[in-house]
Amino acid sequence: MEFQPSTPVEDPSFVLRTLRRLSLVAVVAAVSVLQAPTVIRAADNQQLVDAASSYRTQLGIGRVSTTAALAQIAAERAQQMADARALGHDFDYLRQRFSDLGVCWRGFGEIVAYSGSDSAASFIDQWHGSAPHREILRTAAYDQAGGRSQRASNGYHYAVMVFVDGCDAPVASASRFIDIGGSQFRNDIEWLADGGITGGCSGDRFCPTRVVTREQMASFLARATRIATTQRDWFRDDDASQHESDINRIATASIAAGCTAGRYCPESRVTRGQMASFLARALRLPAASRDWFADDNGSLHEPDINRLAEAGITGGCAQGRFCPGASVTREQMAGFLRRAFDS
């Protein structure tokens, strides 16, 4: 601001006194600001749920209730985004956590945002301004929700809300397996069992959220494809495996080539990229006509991932992403196998 004295500028003493007064005011103002710092807190679950409910009631839509499980899952997702300092969806993670924590659901949606403010209202305003997020906020079927924001090292707050069309009670588990009542892949798991493709992990359990190993993958595929037995021993590191026979069967059928020369690595986890190649070879899928995902360009499994997508066996892990390096759980594998072989 330009200084406009009320007396002639030739009076140097007046100018000096005035500047001193202005400097003193500026210092006092600065001290006042320093003495009253802004307290930053992460928007908690109830604040976000209440804000979403208020938004919905204004539109004549029912409020959402919250549960400890959904609050925990939302907090985990918010922390993941804050750590990455990036927005993103991970629907496979949500499904797994629903299963882990016994969340019974018929449908679900996730909305994400980041802001310099942690106000729940500011996040609701952002979501209202985005058509896909607004649709989730306004879905009347969603009756449960959890929310959380977390502050990242870049100073921004990353917020998540998870909405669920909840079941009245967990779906009763069939007598075959006692641990799949909360799994969204329950029908796929039963299909696998009915077809003799799985006998579970032990007794009456399927262990739906355990990671699939390469030896287990061999048995799933050998049973699903009904490949004939073979006398040839293809690998030197599977002699102690109960799946050795099935490993040799899929090697004979050119579905598996091992992890390195002469080795199969039977106890190693199966990644989503490897799973795509196993299935593409087992099904003899033709080459794809397009590139389906943005995150598999450096993967040697990319052609097989595209084959799987074009055949309708996978839709990816999130919009435009396949997550080729992520592990595959047993329940997820049930879903892939059913889509691949239930024709």
Side-chain angles (χ1 to χ4, degrees):
M1 180 178 69
E2 183 182 358
F3 174 63
Q4 297 289 340
S6 57
T7 60
V9 294
E10 306 77 77
D11 183 356
S13 64
F14 175 82
V15 174
L16 183 59
R17 289 194 304 272
T18 304
L19 289 174
R20 284 174 177 169
R21 285 196 298 268
L22 288 174
S23 298
L24 181 59
V25 171
V27 170
V28 171
V31 171
S32 298
V33 171
L34 291 173
Q35 289 175 342
T38 301
V39 177
I40 299 176
R41 297 186 179 91
D44 65 19
N45 175 61
Q46 198 60 55
Q47 289 172 339
L48 285 166
V49 171
D50 287 346
S53 291
S54 177
Y55 174 85
R56 287 163 62 96
T57 55
Q58 292 176 29
L59 300 172
I61 306 170
R63 297 176 62 86
V64 287
S65 61
T66 189
T67 67
L70 290 178
Q72 178 178 335
I73 294 168
E76 292 168 359
R77 288 284 297 119
Q79 189 63 60
Q80 289 171 355
M81 291 196 304
D83 290 344
R85 294 185 297 180
L87 296 178
H89 295 288
D90 191 340
F91 302 122
D92 283 347
Y93 181 85
L94 291 177
R95 293 184 184 102
Q96 179 165 333
R97 295 301 286 143
F98 291 160
S99 177
D100 292 342
L101 300 180
V103 177
C104 182
W105 58 278
R106 290 180 288 261
F108 71 88
E110 179 185 65
I111 55 180
V112 299
Y114 76 99
S115 173
S117 165
D118 69 332
S119 164
S122 71
F123 292 122
I124 296 295
D125 287 343
Q126 279 197 56
W127 291 324
H128 170 72
S130 165
H133 293 89
R134 185 169 61 245
E135 181 180 351
I136 292 173
L137 269 175
R138 295 180 174 185
T139 298
Y142 293 148
D143 55 1
Q144 299 173 16
R148 183 69 179 180
S149 76
Q150 295 288 357
R151 189 180 185 186
S153 59
N154 60 6
Y156 285 98
H157 299 265
Y158 291 79
V160 177
M161 287 200 73
V162 179
F163 291 83
V164 168
D165 175 10
C167 311
D168 294 333
V171 179
S173 177
S175 58
R176 189 189 307 272
F177 301 119
I178 64 171
D179 60 347
I180 63 172
S183 173
Q184 78 160 111
F185 299 97
R186 178 174 178 266
N187 291 336
D188 300 320
I189 295 167
E190 290 294 340
W191 178 86
L192 245 63
D194 290 342
I197 300 171
T198 184
C201 62
S202 63
D204 55 2
R205 300 177 63 82
F206 182 74
C207 306
T209 59
R210 282 190 188 174
V211 171
V212 175
T213 63
R214 289 173 56 85
E215 62 184 356
Q216 292 168 355
M217 187 76 195
S219 290
F220 284 142
L221 290 174
R223 297 167 191 153
T225 56
R226 294 176 170 78
I227 302 170
T229 57
T230 179
Q231 298 302 312
R232 179 173 177 179
D233 186 6
W234 285 81
F235 306 105
R236 62 177 182 272
D237 64 342
D238 62 351
D239 292 344
S241 172
Q242 65 178 346
H243 303 273
E244 182 182 15
S245 174
D246 293 327
I247 292 170
N248 289 326
R249 289 166 69 189
I250 66 169
T252 299
S254 300
I255 297 172
C259 58
T260 58
R263 298 178 64 246
Y264 184 74
C265 305
E267 296 181 352
S268 295
R269 70 184 178 96
V270 174
T271 66
R272 288 172 59 88
Q274 292 168 351
M275 176 274 301
S277 290
F278 277 125
L279 288 179
R281 295 175 196 140
L283 296 169
R284 304 292 191 266
L285 295 177
S289 61
R290 53 168 284 200
D291 184 8
W292 285 79
F293 303 107
D295 65 340
D296 62 351
N297 293 335
S299 171
L300 62 88
H301 303 284
E302 182 181 15
D304 294 325
I305 292 169
N306 289 326
R307 288 182 173 96
L308 223 61
E310 195 144 307
I313 297 170
T314 183
C317 61
Q319 184 66 36
R321 298 176 62 241
F322 183 74
C323 306
S327 299
V328 184
T329 64
R330 288 171 57 84
E331 63 180 357
Q332 291 167 352
M333 196 66 241
F336 284 125
L337 288 168
R338 186 177 186 182
R339 288 192 292 272
F341 292 101
D342 187 18
S343 57

